[in-house]
Amino acid sequence: MADRRSFLSGFSAGSLFQSSQDCDVLTTEDCSGSDEDDTKDPDMVGLPPAFRSYWKAAVTKPSDFNAWTKLVAYAEKEKHLAACRKAYDSFLLHFPLSHIYWKKYADIEQHFGSAEEVEKIFSRAVKSNPLNVALWTSYILFLLKKVNTKKSAEKLQGVFKEAVDACGMEFHSDDFWSLYIEYEIKNNNFKEAMALYDRVLNIPTQQYETHFQRFNILVSSRSPVEYLTTEELIAIHSKIQAENDNDQIAMEDLPSVDIEDSLSETDLQKIRQHILDTRKQMYLLNEIQVKKRSKFEEGIKRLYFFASPVNVKQLRNWRKYLDFEMSEGQHERIVMLYERCLMPCAKYEEFWLSYAQYMKEHSVEAARSVFERACRIHLPLKFTLHLQWALFEEKLGQLDSARAIMCNLEKVLPGVVMVRLRRVNFERRNGNLQEAERLLREAVHNSSGTKKAAFYAVKLSRLLLKLEKDPEKARDVLVDALKKDPNSPYLHQCLLEVEIARDDVDSVMHCVKSALNSNIHDAIKGILSQRRLEFLEDCGNNINSLLNAYDEHQTLLKQEEFKRKAVHDKEEEEKNKKAKTQSDSASVEDNISTSGIVPHAAASVAHQSVSTTNTTTTESSTHQAIVNTPKSTNSNQPKPTPSTRGKVPVPRPTVRLYMPPHRAPVPPLMAPFFRGSVPPPRMSFQPPMPPVPPYSYRPWMQNYVEYRSPQPWHYNRFYTPF
């Protein structure tokens, strides 16, 4: 059986291409899983009772980050070492990228005085987070405190080299590089420090300028003999001599033993200047690479894993950054950026799928390891990712592994239709029709009483009909399903197709009859009736059956047309009512707006017209007449008609002013109407108009003569006689 431990080793940019990552292929034995009850764990003996409740809540929903943090917080509060170990070990197994909790776990062990456990925790942490510079730095600082023997110094050197291979190309790895170089300089290992500077000056990092400045200080303050090897010293000296003498000197002709003693101060200065010039070129080339990536690095606000979602802008920035690195074509940098991206974006399957798709072209084992980390640790509930993994294994011929992946997934997510169908189709593609039939029958049984039962029944019937060539069994499946769900249009349609495939006219007629008697939609009934009619036309032998089917089909069409027309008429009636309501309200508003009087402002207008003091005596009498007329006017207002009954009444103005349309000509024959008053001239703005007496309701013939030309009698009238 394959190893079921969590994948903690991760990728490192330096070691990925030297040796493939180990990744165990699953077998069919993995389908059995492990259903052990964590609450019966012997490690729970002696733990606080409240810890058990927190533990149960966490293991019930292992993907709930908050439940685990509550468990860890309680264990820390109680200061119970066994509880802390159990809580942290389980929590970090599910969320290994939580670097803050790795540090907390190490601090707890250090508080209890267990240095060996602290070292083990840091070792596990950096394997789970190979690109986390903060964890590597904390691990190295811990080891620096206990370097007192040759063995411990060798251990520290090994950790330094592992860190360089793992996170040395990270953009924010400056603190680690500074720590490593300072350690070598402190121990007078200037040659090793020089080699480290040669590496870091070629890596785009955030503080690349600082590294170059410190490099200049080291070169200027020390003799080249201290930080250059003998071979490098000879090569540089010979190159300088050849440039000065224009004659290349063979390297074997130069003294090799006493070269350090034979160099003068001038030679050392030239060698020092040569080193600075060559490193300056490296620095300038590296600066170009940094500037290319600076805009993407500025958009990264989250370097490590957090449980909260990532901002949309940052996700977009990661996509653009990955596209840029792919366009550059440097494989190591592409892998490094994918690993960086998958720390804050570990919960986003698109990046895992993109990473796996890229690694397929370079290493099968690396692509498998990407799928394994994503599915076993970070996204155990994303069935699309698991199914892609299964397809990947199936394509490689690892059928047992693909079968185990889907089997385990269905145990984690029971009842997902897509997973069951993928299992069925997997068995069908590989010629195991009996297993495919068993899976579908099991799905029909397990989903009894739900809508999925009809879906699975149709799939099973199609498998039996098309692949196993057994229409009788296919028909029996659908008939049994219809007994439980007689109003499923999907089942009726599929049963009709099966009956037509059997070429049994009586069965076809019975199938359609039962469908027409069910409560399915009329449109589906029409489709089934049309299909029956076509079948009888092509295969039927009884003219009476054909004519009866035709009559029934016409009746269905008429009923459907009648219902459709009724629905259409109802919609038109509602539309007309709505339009009429809007037009009525618009006409009332237009009537008020053309009169120039807002109803609630009528009284103030009347008061203003009556209180005017700079008018003539005729105008004053006219004002007095208007003020005294509202009673008779209100008494003669038209009664509400049936079309306006039930609507909100619009109050009529008590005083009505004559306000002609804007820029409209004044009719010449309307002097009697004004009773000697002169209409105001046309103006670009609306001037105040003199009041007009209300229309007297006499027979319309008496008023017609004086208003008949050139304008109609009702020009600018408020109330029509009829």
Side-chain angles (χ1 to χ4, degrees), residues 239-263:
K239 186 175 182 181
I240 294 173
Q241 291 295 328
E243 291 175 355
N244 294 336
D245 300 338
N246 294 324
D247 185 17
Q248 188 173 3
I249 301 174
M251 185 175 297
E252 58 271 12
D253 296 337
L254 293 174
S256 59
V257 179
D258 300 330
I259 184 63
E260 299 176 0
D261 299 332
S262 62
L263 293 174

Side-chain angles (χ1 to χ4, degrees), residues 11 326 338 342 349-364 366-374 385 388-389 392:
F11 287 131
M326 287 187 179
Y338 265 117
L342 289 173
E349 60 181 329
E350 62 168 301
F351 296 106
W352 289 104
L353 289 174
S354 176
Y355 190 19
Q357 189 67 28
Y358 173 78
M359 293 306 298
K360 288 178 184 178
E361 303 174 0
H362 298 84
S363 172
V364 171
R368 178 180 288 124
S369 185
V370 172
F371 277 120
E372 185 177 6
R373 282 194 294 161
L385 194 60
Q388 288 292 328
W389 186 16
F392 171 75

